[in-house]
Amino acid sequence: VGLLWLNAAETWIDIDKSEDSTSLLSKVADVVTGSSASKIPHVGTHWFSETGIIDIFVMLGPQPRQVFRQYAMLTGTGTLPALFAISYHQCRWNYVDEQDVAQINENFDVHDI
């Protein structure tokens, strides 16, 4: 399931995770049967937008691929970058020293980059 909360205003989402015990009726049944009450994980959310009209779109999927397809039908798909930008990507976080930089520069010429 996917959810698109469409509102241009600033929005906050509070998420609260807790282990809530079972319901009151389940507790009574546990006392009568003598079994122990088990904890049930619970996630609660509170959504708050400052102002504006809120449009909520629920995408039911059922598989993640269908959720993404439904989202793309709502928002459109991204365009591919220009062809020259696809082929060149220098994946380096850092350089060891000046000699390392010079060697990389020389390899650009060797590989016609």
Side-chain angles (χ1 to χ4, degrees), residues 1-2 59-72:
V1 173
M59 292 146 288
L60 298 176
Q63 300 295 323
R65 181 180 295 270
Q66 284 86 17
V67 172
F68 286 120
R69 185 172 287 128
Q70 293 162 1
Y71 178 79

Side-chain angles (χ1 to χ4, degrees), residues 11 21 38-39 42 44 49 59 67 71 79 81 88 103-104 109:
T11 300
S21 59
S38 59
K39 299 287 186 177
H42 175 75
S49 290
M59 292 146 288
V67 172
Y71 178 79
T79 59
Y88 175 72
Q103 181 182 7
I104 290 169
D109 293 336

Side-chain angles (χ1 to χ4, degrees), residues 99-112:
Q99 184 181 3
D100 188 27
V101 174
Q103 181 182 7
I104 290 169
N105 190 33
E106 289 173 16
N107 284 334
F108 284 159
D109 293 336
V110 169
H111 297 288
D112 197 26

Side-chain angles (χ1 to χ4, degrees), residues 5-12 48-54:
W5 178 279
L6 189 59
N7 183 299
E10 191 168 4
T11 300
W12 292 271
F48 178 77
S49 290
E50 282 189 333
T51 186
I53 297 172
I54 299 170

